[in-house]
Amino acid sequence: LRTTNNIMTRILSFFGSLLGLTAGQNSYPPPAVMGDESIMNKKEHGTSHVPVMKNLRWGCDWDTADRICNFNRHYAERAGYWVTTRFLQEETPTNEEKVIDFYDSNTGKVLFSAPQGRSFQEFVEESQKHGWPSFRDNEVNWDYVRVLPNGETVSVDGTHLGHNLPDQKGSRYCINLVSVAGNPNES
């Protein structure tokens, strides 16, 4: 585990250096909204007030989702997990302009809406290349998503989502599908 954490730290540092970040800067360029560690303080259910919803979309596994979302700060669903779900079967658009909303698996708040500024096929290809659904800045709902100084990407309610792993195009948010497989909060 320590080796995995050291490798992840080096990877995040490397990508941060590509964007001109230094250890003292601890921020990502706009429109990213930075958060602090207090978001992930212990709550009633791990880092969240509630467990994940029982009826997750795309056949996502509840146990995996609850562990990743609420009792985890560094790890992820396995690479490629998202393509083993029903996501591609249920969401492949017949209309190339369709935008899919991705909801917090704990609260039902919309966290990401994609694709925007690219085709569904481009979204899928980038996500397949990296192993996790990959979102860009313009696909993030900054009302509810924060990036911590180490790149961890979380909801304002304490749901672990994934990490910001910037590339030559800018910030790229590699997000666990189980973290954004919730249903809309109707309240």
Side-chain angles (χ1 to χ4, degrees), residues 141-154:
N141 181 352
W142 292 111
D143 290 339
Y144 300 121
V145 176
R146 298 291 182 267
V147 181
L148 303 186
N150 68 354
E152 183 181 5
T153 304
V154 302

Side-chain angles (χ1 to χ4, degrees), residues 104-125:
D104 187 318
S105 292
N106 287 320
T107 67
K109 294 175 181 174
V110 65
L111 302 178
F112 300 91
S113 296
Q116 293 190 53
R118 57 182 171 165
S119 70
F120 179 77
Q121 188 58 38
E122 290 169 322
F123 169 76
V124 169
E125 286 173 5

Side-chain angles (χ1 to χ4, degrees), residues 50-138:
V50 295
V52 298
M53 300 174 178
K54 290 290 184 190
N55 57 340
L56 295 173
R57 293 163 45 189
W58 310 304
C60 287
D61 179 71
W62 188 90
D63 289 326
T64 301
D66 199 51
R67 184 178 70 254
I68 296 294
C69 292
N70 300 313
F71 298 97
N72 164 62
R73 297 292 306 279
H74 304 288
Y75 301 102
E77 64 199 19
R78 70 183 184 281
Y81 170 83
W82 73 281
V83 297
T84 69
T85 70
R86 296 190 311 262
F87 177 81
L88 290 173
Q89 293 77 25
E90 293 180 15
E91 298 298 346
T92 300
T94 54
N95 172 355
E96 199 49 42
E97 305 217 353
K98 177 184 176 187
V99 173
I100 302 161
D101 287 329
F102 296 82
Y103 299 93
D104 187 318
S105 292
N106 287 320
T107 67
K109 294 175 181 174
V110 65
L111 302 178
F112 300 91
S113 296
Q116 293 190 53
R118 57 182 171 165
S119 70
F120 179 77
Q121 188 58 38
E122 290 169 322
F123 169 76
V124 169
E125 286 173 5
E126 182 172 57
S127 298
Q128 287 175 325
K129 178 180 176 184
H130 297 290
W132 290 268
S134 296
F135 300 92
R136 295 295 176 167
D137 281 324
N138 62 327

